[in-house]
């Protein structure tokens, strides 16, 4: 039994972290979604501990996923540059995004998907509820949009141009 936990320790830590993220943000989303303000546009009052936990978890997961992507991109770029130098080719600085996705661990991919899924739900609640949501919802929504813009920049930057000539239409 101890050997199982020893082999699965990182997976257990990742699962607990992601479960906490989902539970805390699920709680926030439910509280904001079902809240009916007495005065239109009034946000719900959220428990201070929930606000702190939600902020810490979302900031942490955003940073962790962004850094994992950044480190993986740097690793793939180094490998491609060294293989290009060995073959006597100069690299143009653009590399195959497929190399990045194959190097990401299952934990990182799961974290990315959880962050995006919950983030998109938070963004949806923020857009629907507007001022009747909370500053916490708005802050996470803006943070998610910034994260998506950064990720999109990486996606478009890593795209290799086709080596086939395009037919003029």
């Amino acid at each position: 039994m101890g050997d199982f936990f020893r082999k699965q320790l990182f997976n257990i830590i990742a699962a607990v972290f992601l479960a906490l993220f989902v539970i805390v943000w699920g709680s926030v989303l439910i509280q904001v979604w079902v809240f009916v303000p007495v005065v239109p546009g009034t946000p719900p009052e959220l428990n201070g501990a929930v606000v702190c936990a939600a902020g810490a978890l979302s900031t942490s997961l955003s940073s962790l996923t962004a850094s994992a992507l950044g480190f993986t991109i740097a690793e793939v770029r180094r490998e491609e540059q060294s293989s290009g130098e060995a073959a006597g080719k100069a690299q143009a600085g653009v590399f195959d995004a497929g190399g990045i996705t194959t190097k990401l661990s299952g934990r990182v991919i799961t974290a990315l998907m959880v962050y995006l899924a919950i983030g998109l739900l938070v963004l949806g609640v923020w857009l629907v509820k507007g001022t009747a949501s909370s500053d916490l919802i708005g802050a996470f929504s803006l943070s998610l949009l910034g994260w998506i813009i950064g990720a999109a920049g990486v996606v478009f930057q890593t795209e290799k141009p086709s080596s086939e000539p395009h037919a003029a239409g």
Side-chain angles (χ1 to χ4, degrees), residues 62-80:
S62 172
S63 299
L64 292 169
T65 55
S67 65
L69 285 172
F71 287 129
T72 305
I73 290 167
E75 180 184 348
V76 169
R77 181 167 278 164
R78 266 192 315 275
E79 288 174 1
E80 287 194 356

Side-chain angles (χ1 to χ4, degrees), residues 130-154:
T131 57
S133 65
S134 71
D135 290 342
L136 177 66
I137 297 283
F140 184 27
S141 296
L142 291 174
S143 174
L144 173 77
L145 289 173
W147 188 96
I148 289 173
I149 291 166
V154 169

Side-chain angles (χ1 to χ4, degrees), residues 17 55-65:
F17 178 78
L57 288 167
S58 62
T59 302
S60 299
L61 191 52
S62 172
S63 299
L64 292 169
T65 55

Side-chain angles (χ1 to χ4, degrees), residues 21-140:
F21 178 80
V22 170
I23 291 166
V24 169
W25 274 101
S27 168
V28 169
L29 286 171
I30 289 168
Q31 289 177 56
V32 171
W33 187 255
V34 301
F35 177 72
V36 178
V38 176
V39 177
T42 305
E45 289 191 30
L46 300 172
N47 177 321
V50 170
V51 170
C52 287
L57 288 167
S58 62
T59 302
S60 299
L61 191 52
S62 172
S63 299
L64 292 169
T65 55
S67 65
L69 285 172
F71 287 129
T72 305
I73 290 167
E75 180 184 348
V76 169
R77 181 167 278 164
R78 266 192 315 275
E79 288 174 1
E80 287 194 356
Q81 285 175 343
S82 64
S83 68
E85 290 170 4
K89 298 180 193 174
Q91 293 291 318
V94 180
F95 55 96
D96 183 16
I100 297 167
T101 56
T102 58
K103 290 210 177 268
L104 291 173
S105 73
R107 286 188 297 268
V108 172
I109 291 170
T110 302
L112 286 166
M113 294 299 108
V114 167
Y115 180 74
L116 283 173
I118 295 295
L120 291 173
L121 286 172
V122 170
L123 179 62
V125 167
W126 185 53
L127 293 174
V128 170
K129 293 290 236 176
T131 57
S133 65
S134 71
D135 290 342
L136 177 66
I137 297 283
F140 184 27

